[in-house]
Amino acid sequence: MVKKIILTGDRPTGKLHIGHYVGSLKNRVELQNSGEYETFIMIADIQALTDNARDPEKIRRSLIQVALDYLAVGIDPEKSTILVQSQIPALSELTEHYANLVTVSRLNRNPTVKTEIKQKKFGQSVPVGFAMYPISQAADITAFKATTVPVGDDQEPMLEQTREIVRSFNSIYKQNILVEPEGYFPPKGMGRIPGLDGNAKMSKSLGNAIYLSDDADTIKSKIMSMYTDPDHVHVEDPGKVEGNTVFTYLDIFDHDKAKVADLKAQYQHGGLGDVKIKLYLNDVMQAFLQPIRDRYNQYAKDIPSVYEILKKGSAHANEVANQTLKEVRDAIGINYFG
Ligand code: TRP
């Protein structure tokens, strides 16, 4: 049986929030704990720099932030390798070899990149590094011969690009060195959480996120400000639960499904106030986030030990990626000196 390997990662551009948790962190922790995979988790600082070259300090700060968030949600350095992209030079050389197998027009068709180019308002000034980050991401995935990539569904175009590169490489150089990865996505309807304001996307730039490291008071005041049903003016009015952010969060985070069904019925009937359901959601979210925050604070007390985890993980990752690079060079026939 072929060993199953996970590679996944995040750009370090800020703190991670509960949208990241339901979109992919939860899956990663479960897969890691299943014991069926060798797991690599990458902090993709090179990819983050593709649109932040002028602000490396932000990336440097976010690197440790993301590492703390990983450890806080239960990514366990004894079970998973946590690595830093920029510390693995083989990835850059793989990117160059793969870049020769991809056309500029194919890159420009990538829907995720297209959307990001609009969001980031590059205009005519898209950095080459940004435009080609899907190639660099293919290097990330294939360097570890990943079979399985647990990510949010917005990453599917990256996986498709990676599979195309793998197929081209294996067919041109007639060696089955590289592995085609599969995505691993959250169950339908569970992978996306709206922002506090009801916007479909939770994000830092929209200012509508609950962060994994938020303290108890911040979480409470964010929940009390949440979007509900704008037409539910008086407590006795019947309220809507569809599109009501409080109920969407309860559906995702409350294990007591009978209780949620009961609250929904009461709310629809009328007589259940927004403050009540928000206070209940607050209890649910605090119970979920407190152990995460406790672990976060524990690690945050000893930042040098977190850098040590990253250093050890990157050293192991270098061994694996260097071996793949050697095989790739052999296949291309450029290992001139043995
Ligand atoms: N593109 C991912 C993001 O936007 C980060 C990332 C970089 C990644 N390399 C990866 C994800 C490899 C999965 C596999 O957060």
Side-chain angles (χ1 to χ4, degrees):
M1 200 188 83
V2 196
K3 190 173 56 170
K4 292 200 273 185
I5 300 174
I6 286 174
L7 177 287
T8 182
D10 297 277
R11 294 179 196 171
T13 53
K15 301 180 271 192
L16 301 182
H17 51 61
I18 58 174
H20 294 114
Y21 185 82
V22 300
S24 68
L25 294 172
K26 183 169 187 280
N27 268 345
R28 298 179 195 177
V29 173
E30 283 167 9
L31 291 170
Q32 162 199 274
N33 291 339
S34 75
E36 287 175 32
Y37 297 85
E38 174 163 12
T39 303
F40 294 90
I41 304 198
M42 165 184 294
I43 308 184
D45 58 341
I46 299 232
Q47 192 176 114
L49 284 164
T50 61
D51 66 318
N52 286 283
R54 284 166 185 78
D55 193 3
E57 179 50 30
K58 171 170 130 192
I59 308 308
R60 202 185 147 73
R61 243 186 299 118
S62 303
L63 179 99
I64 201 73
Q65 183 74 56
V66 169
L68 287 170
D69 286 328
Y70 281 170
L71 295 164
V73 295
I75 297 206
D76 178 351
E78 299 292 320
K79 295 182 187 159
S80 295
T81 301
I82 309 178
L83 62 126
V84 180
Q85 190 183 28
S86 62
Q87 305 309 299
I88 318 296
L91 297 175
S92 304
E93 187 176 331
L94 288 172
T95 301
E96 295 232 30
H97 296 312
Y98 299 166
N100 300 329
L101 308 177
V102 180
T103 63
V104 173
S105 66
R106 170 66 181 88
L107 272 185
N108 291 342
R109 277 200 307 274
N110 185 311
T112 307
V113 179
K114 266 197 199 157
T115 312
E116 283 175 307
I117 285 175
K118 274 202 209 104
Q119 278 168 356
K120 294 178 191 294
K121 303 194 171 61
F122 285 127
Q124 291 304 303
S125 313
V126 182
V128 171
F130 185 84
M132 65 182 268
Y133 89 73
I135 302 178
S136 148
Q137 190 155 328
D140 301 341
I141 294 168
T142 56
F144 300 95
K145 302 197 173 175
T147 54
T148 312
V149 183
V151 279
D153 46 17
D154 63 319
Q155 295 293 303
E156 179 56 32
M158 303 301 152
L159 289 159
E160 192 47 39
Q161 178 71 80
T162 303
R163 287 190 286 264
E164 283 176 32
I165 289 173
V166 168
R167 288 196 287 267
S168 295
F169 186 94
N170 288 345
S171 95
I172 293 169
Y173 301 108
K174 299 196 177 28
Q175 302 202 29
N176 271 336
I177 294 169
L178 302 180
V179 177
E180 282 189 46
E182 265 176 33
Y184 187 99
F185 304 104
K188 280 261 168 294
M190 295 303 276
R192 244 181 219 292
I193 180 161
L196 295 161
D197 54 0
N199 191 305
K201 198 175 152 67
M202 174 173 285
S203 84
K204 187 176 40 176
S205 49
L206 296 170
N208 62 4
I210 296 181
Y211 295 98
L212 294 167
S213 51
D214 275 347
D215 62 38
D217 291 344
T218 306
I219 293 166
K220 183 167 179 194
S221 72
K222 285 180 176 177
I223 289 174
M224 297 318 282
S225 77
M226 262 168 99
Y227 176 84
T228 57
D229 169 7
D231 299 324
H232 185 240
V233 183
H234 306 291
V235 173
E236 57 281 7
D237 292 345
K240 266 211 288 297
V241 299
E242 299 81 30
N244 183 324
T245 319
V246 172
F247 286 104
T248 311
Y249 281 35
L250 285 175
D251 280 336
I252 294 174
F253 289 101
D254 192 356
H255 301 299
D256 190 347
K257 300 297 167 210
K259 169 100 187 180
V260 176
D262 195 41
L263 288 173
K264 282 183 180 172
Q266 281 187 49
Y267 194 83
Q268 284 168 320
H269 176 267
L272 180 58
D274 281 5
V275 171
K276 267 222 177 105
I277 54 166
K278 285 177 173 176
L279 286 172
Y280 177 68
L281 176 64
N282 180 54
D283 291 342
V284 170
M285 297 309 289
Q286 299 285 358
F288 161 64
L289 287 165
Q290 194 195 330
I292 294 177
R293 183 170 60 241
D294 288 349
R295 247 190 322 256
Y296 183 101
N297 290 335
Q298 202 56 39
Y299 279 107
K301 276 191 223 146
D302 188 3
I303 297 295
S305 78
V306 177
Y307 276 110
E308 204 45 49
I309 289 169
L310 299 181
K311 186 175 166 191
K312 242 176 94 186
S314 299
H316 173 55
N318 263 315
E319 284 172 25
V320 178
N322 284 336
Q323 173 59 30
T324 305
L325 177 60
K326 181 181 175 308
E327 292 169 19
V328 162
R329 287 177 167 205
D330 281 342
I332 302 176
I334 55 170
N335 247 342
Y336 305 115
F337 310 124

